Each structure stands twice: as C-alpha cells, then as structure tokens.
Amino acid sequence: MLPYATAAEAAAALGRAMTAAEAAWFGYSAAVPDRWLYCHNVPILLVVYTLAPLPLALLELRSTGDANASSLIHKYKLQPRVRLSPAAFLRCYLDTARVLLLSVGPLSLVSYPVAEMVGIRTGLPLPSVGEMAAQLVVYLLVEDYLGYWMHRLLHTKWGYDKIHHVHHEFTAPMGYAAPYAHWAEVLILGVPAFAGPAIVPCHMTTFWLWFVLRHIEAIDTHSGFSFPLNPTKFIPFYGGAEHHDYHHRVGGQSQSNFSTIFTFCDYLYGTDKGYRYHKASLGKVHTCVHACLPYVT
C-alpha cells in the first residue's frame, strides 16, 4: 500500500510529475495491501498458463481432420508421430491448475514476509526499462544455474521415483505440460525462480514480469515444436524446445540436457554429450538421404 493519500502527494514526494505508468500504478495499488499485490502472481500465472499454450494445442487438436494443420504438425513438431487426445490435454490442464492453486497459492500467502525482508518494493518511482532488463538478465542466469542442479537432483533415483516421474509422464511434451509436476517439485523449483529477486531485489512490477517471462520460457521449451522463425532462436545459448524435447524423449534414464533455459551448464558439466551425439547422428542420416536422392528412380 502506497503511503500517499492523493496523486498530488505522490508527485510531491517524487519531486516531479508522475509518468503515465506511475499514475496508473498509483491508481491501482494505492489502496491495495502489499501482501495482496504479491499474491497477484497466482492469478497472473494461471492466466499465462491458460492462454500461452493454447494456439499450439488447438493446432495439434485440429490436425486430425485438417490437412493444413496436419502438414504443419509433420513439418515442425519434434515428435510428429505422437498426437495427444483432447482428453489428455484437458487432464493435463486441470491437474496442473489444481496443483498450482494448492501449492503456489498457499506459498504466496506465507512467503510474503520473506519477499518484504529481501526488499521487493511496491512504491514509487517505477523502475526504468534498463533497470528491469538488467535485473531480468540476472534472474535468468541465476535461475538457469540453480535450476540445473535442482533438476539433476530430481534425476537421482530417489528424486525421480518419488517426485520427478510425474513431470516425465509426457515423453513428447506440450506447452500445458510445462508446470505439470508433483506438488513438491513445483515448490522445489520455486527456489531458483525466487533466488534472483532475493539476490537483486526489484519492484513488484518487475517481480510479476519475471514470473510471466519464466513461465512463458518453460512453455516454449515444452512446446514440442521447433519453428524456424521463433524469436528465441536468436537468443545466444538458448536451449529451446529441441534441447528439452530430447530430455523428455529419453525419459527417466536421461542424464542429458538438465539446463532449464540456456545450455551453459550442460556444456560445462558434460551433460549434453548424449544430445550432441544424437544431433550428429541425425546430421549423418540427413546427409546420406540427400546424397542418395539423385540415385533414387
């Protein structure tokens, strides 16, 4: 809750007129307790989770009776032979939404004092675009490193058998399967996601944006599709759907591609050897096919 009764008081405290964004933030948040602003993460994540995977889910569901959709599936889906039923999509969505509500919801209520302690603020001024961008880069790097090791721990025998096997029910992942997991895994993987803001505190708006960005990234890497013009292909060292799809295809025995966002850790710790061998093998097959085509009559 902002400590200003009126917009004039807020402008006086800033020593300048509020920007349009600051005026909008003041109008929305002035009378809302900080705890409830922090808890906005839950409905925001549910909205993102509901809408972001929807276009590709509809494309896959239409592919049964639509030749154009089927052609796109065959061309860009990483495991085109796997087609999920409407019931499988619905089960995944409902199960995940339930777990998110029952785990992230209560966690948000009880963890607000920690967010307040580390310095996540709600007041004015709002952060600049440059400040937000710099903080988001730090959060991505922290999440990637800690998430890598959390993921490796979940692939130990105990971690996989007791917790992580739920997430690997989908050997050909799709966007709605990104947060599909045991409730304990949802909480465990919340640690690296929160670590960045704890190390480099931010404004609440940046905090919201960070979790939206992280969620969209997870949906992208679990999408099961690799489109040539996907903007993420221009992000250096970004793993993407192809990198993570291999991890799911191998399944519980996988000791490869643990990185959650980038590919640094898999390269540094040698956990991408199976994936690189797989890619090299595919390259040899494609080369052989193209070389043999002129002789096929």
Side-chain angles (χ1 to χ4, degrees):
M1 187 178 295
L2 299 185
Y4 315 115
T6 66
E9 286 184 18
L14 288 172
R16 57 169 174 78
M18 289 189 289
T19 65
E22 288 170 337
W25 176 250
F26 175 84
Y28 180 75
S29 67
V32 180
D34 290 353
R35 177 183 294 274
W36 296 118
L37 290 173
Y38 176 73
C39 289
H40 277 36
N41 249 344
V42 179
I44 289 172
L45 289 182
L46 284 173
V47 169
V48 172
Y49 173 65
T50 300
L51 297 180
L54 188 59
L56 289 180
L58 292 176
L59 174 66
E60 186 162 347
L61 290 172
R62 284 185 57 190
S63 65
T64 303
D66 187 316
N68 291 330
S70 182
S71 176
L72 286 173
I73 291 283
H74 183 75
K75 189 173 183 179
Y76 298 118
K77 187 172 169 64
L78 293 164
Q79 298 187 54
R81 294 182 180 179
V82 180
R83 305 291 177 91
L84 296 174
S85 66
F89 276 99
L90 183 60
R91 179 183 70 85
C92 178
Y93 174 79
L94 292 177
D95 285 353
T96 304
R98 174 177 55 83
V99 170
L100 288 176
L101 279 172
L102 295 179
S103 58
V104 179
L107 179 64
S108 295
L109 288 173
V110 301
S111 64
Y112 170 70
V114 179
E116 186 178 36
M117 180 182 69
V118 300
I120 294 173
R121 64 185 184 88
T122 61
L124 296 173
L126 290 180
S128 67
V129 173
E131 179 184 340
M132 293 177 77
Q135 289 172 335
L136 290 173
V137 169
V138 172
Y139 301 165
L140 286 166
L141 293 173
V142 171
E143 155 73 27
D144 187 63
Y145 189 79
L146 294 181
Y148 171 86
W149 288 107
M150 292 286 191
H151 195 180
R152 284 193 70 169
L153 287 173
L154 287 170
H155 270 269
T156 59
K157 179 172 174 49
W158 187 92
Y160 189 86
D161 290 346
K162 300 296 184 182
I163 299 174
H164 194 49
H165 73 277
V166 176
H167 183 65
H168 274 273
E169 286 179 18
F170 290 91
T171 55
M174 43 82 167
Y176 283 117
Y180 178 83
H182 191 285
W183 64 266
E185 179 169 347
V186 173
L187 298 181
I188 289 168
L189 295 182
V191 173
F194 187 79
I199 296 169
V200 182
C202 61
H203 194 272
M204 189 66 73
T205 52
T206 309
F207 189 74
W208 292 348
L209 182 59
W210 158 235
F211 279 93
V212 168
L213 179 65
R214 178 67 185 94
H215 210 56
I216 290 175
E217 180 276 328
I219 289 168
D220 175 64
T221 57
H222 286 83
S223 68
F225 285 83
S226 181
F227 294 103
L229 296 181
N230 187 332
T232 60
K233 288 187 177 292
F234 301 99
I235 301 175
F237 307 108
Y238 181 73
E242 192 173 358
H243 186 266
H244 196 66
D245 196 88
Y246 175 81
H247 176 80
H248 272 264
R249 185 184 305 185
V250 176
Q253 295 76 31
S254 178
Q255 293 300 314
S256 184
N257 293 22
F258 294 113
S259 293
T260 56
I261 303 171
F262 303 110
T263 57
F264 307 123
C265 289
D266 278 316
Y267 178 78
L268 288 173
Y269 299 112
T271 49
D272 63 349
K273 293 177 181 177
Y275 176 64
R276 284 189 282 139
Y277 178 81
H278 169 72
K279 291 277 286 182
S281 299
L282 287 179
K284 289 178 182 178
V285 170
H286 291 160
T287 301
C288 179
V289 169
H290 287 297
C292 294
L293 279 176
Y295 302 100
V296 176
T297 59

